[in-house]
Amino acid sequence: MAPFARFLVLNRQDLQAMAATVEILMRHGTEFVVGAYDYLLSFKETAEVLGWEKGVDPEHLTERRRFFTIWLARTIGLDLSDDLAHYLFRAGKYHAGHGPRQIHVPEIYVTGAISLSQANFARYIAAELSDAALVARALSGWHKLLAMHQHLM
C-alpha cells in the first residue's frame, strides 16, 4: 500500500486525526455492518446479485458479515500491512466471481459500497466531534485509506 499512500499523501497528521476517531467508529461497528447488509437486501439490484431476491441465505449473510467485520476492524485499527493488502486483493477476486460462491458483484456496487462507507464514517464522526478541523482532517485521511482499499480490491 505504501506507494499509493505516498501518492495520496496519507501522512502522519492524517493518521493522528484518524486515530482520534477510532473509538467513535468502533462504537458504531455493529450498526455499520448490520446496516450495510440490511441495505443490500433492501436494494433490489444488490439483493439479486447476492441471490437474495427471495430472502436472505443466513449462512451466506453470516459469511459476508464476518468478512466485513474483519475488514472494518482492520481498517479502523489503521492496518497498513501487506497482509491486509493481500486480504483486500483476495476480496476483490471473490467480488469478481472467483470465490467459492462464484458471485460477481458489478464494480459499480463495490465502488458504491466504499462511498457509502465513507458517508457513514462522516456521519458518525461529525455527530460526535465538534472540532471541524479535526473532523475534516480525519475524514480526509479515511477517504484516502478507503480509496486505497478500493484500488486493491
Side-chain angles (χ1 to χ4, degrees):
M1 285 199 254
F4 196 34
R6 284 194 311 272
F7 174 75
L8 293 173
V9 193
L10 181 63
N11 57 36
R12 196 180 94 232
Q13 292 84 8
D14 291 329
L15 293 170
Q16 287 173 336
M18 293 159 71
T21 66
V22 164
E23 189 176 346
I24 293 168
L25 296 175
M26 192 68 132
R27 274 196 302 273
H28 292 278
T30 300
E31 171 190 348
F32 178 76
V33 171
V34 170
Y37 284 98
D38 286 349
Y39 181 73
L40 293 175
L41 181 58
S42 74
F43 192 73
K44 178 183 177 288
E45 290 84 350
T46 52
E48 288 173 355
V49 165
L50 296 169
W52 296 349
E53 60 273 14
K54 293 181 182 172
V56 71
D57 170 355
E59 182 180 326
H60 185 203
L61 177 61
T62 298
E63 289 170 12
R64 295 191 74 87
R65 281 184 177 169
R66 182 180 316 117
F67 162 80
F68 203 49
T69 300
I70 291 168
W71 168 80
L72 179 62
R74 293 182 78 173
T75 298
I76 64 177
L78 300 173
D79 183 346
L80 299 173
S81 70
D82 288 342
D83 183 64
L84 180 59
H86 292 294
Y87 184 79
L88 290 167
F89 183 73
R90 182 172 159 247
K93 286 179 150 184
Y94 277 37
H95 282 79
H98 303 291
R101 292 182 181 271
Q102 298 183 329
I103 295 172
H104 176 259
V105 179
E107 188 175 321
I108 190 169
Y109 298 121
V110 175
T111 300
I114 293 291
S115 181
L116 291 171
S117 295
Q118 292 169 343
N120 279 315
F121 280 23
R123 183 168 53 89
Y124 301 145
I125 292 167
E128 294 194 33
L129 286 180
S130 59
D131 181 342
L134 176 58
V135 170
R137 173 62 92 174
L139 290 177
S140 173
W142 288 119
H143 178 75
K144 293 172 190 180
L145 184 65
L146 292 174
M148 290 169 42
H149 288 196
Q150 181 177 352
H151 170 71
L152 288 165
M153 284 184 63

